[in-house]
């Protein structure tokens, strides 16, 4: 079957999970790490021991938000907060998660190949875990 768009590979997704888990463990934060492909479908997932169950949906939604808009999940908040250009945008597309922790995955050619979403800690911790995983992908 022919691929119509570029997307993250299984090996790359597993590498993101490993790097995300390693950083989460290093900072003492159990987390959920969800990796989606370019079509916003789940490619890889891990729920570390001790993380709250609500973080599962949050991590996946952060990644979906980053995939659908091609930007960080946090950046979407700039458009949907009260008084912004698209207030209540977060209610679109089945519900968005405009909080830190979702990052788009861009390949060397500048093409969106998926996204990562992290949940389990404070927003700044989730973002740090996602950034560490993306750095490992690009490193």
């Amino acid at each position: 079957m022919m691929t119509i768009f570029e997307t993250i590979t299984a090996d790359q997704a597993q590498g993101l999970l490993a790097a995300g888990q390693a950083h989460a463990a290093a900072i003492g934060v159990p987390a959920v790490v969800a990796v989606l492909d370019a079509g916003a479908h789940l490619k890889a997932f891990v729920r570390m021991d001790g993380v709250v169950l609500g973080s599962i949906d949050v991590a996946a939604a952060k990644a979906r938000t980053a995939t659908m808009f091609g930007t960080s999940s946090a950046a979407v908040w700039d458009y949907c907060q009260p008084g912004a250009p698209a207030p209540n945008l977060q209610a679109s597309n089945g519900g968005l998660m405009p909080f830190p922790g979702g990052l788009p995955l861009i390949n060397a050619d500048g093409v969106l190949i998926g996204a990562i979403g992290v949940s389990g800690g404070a927003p700044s911790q989730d973002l740090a875990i996602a950034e560490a995983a993306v750095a490992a992908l690009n490193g």
Side-chain angles (χ1 to χ4, degrees), residues 20 31-34 55 58-60 62-63 100-102 116-120 125-127 129-130:
V32 171
V33 181
S55 291
V58 173
K62 287 178 182 182
I116 185 170
V118 177
S119 182
Q125 293 169 319
D126 293 348
L127 179 58
I129 294 165

Side-chain angles (χ1 to χ4, degrees), residues 8-106:
I8 189 166
T9 67
D11 286 344
Q12 289 172 318
Q14 290 301 316
L16 284 163
L17 292 185
Q21 285 183 91
H23 190 75
I27 64 173
V29 175
V32 171
V33 181
V35 178
L36 276 56
D37 66 16
H41 298 285
L42 187 64
K43 185 76 173 192
F45 169 87
V46 65
R47 177 173 52 96
M48 295 173 68
D49 296 338
V51 71
V52 298
L53 295 177
S55 291
I56 296 168
D57 287 342
V58 173
K62 287 178 182 182
R64 192 168 55 76
T65 300
T67 303
M68 295 178 81
F69 289 89
T71 190
S72 73
S73 55
V76 174
W77 179 245
D78 293 339
Y79 295 94
C80 60
Q81 64 184 309
N88 206 32
L89 177 68
Q90 74 276 9
S92 72
N93 295 289
L96 303 175
M97 194 61 59
F99 307 110
L103 296 174
L105 302 172
I106 310 295

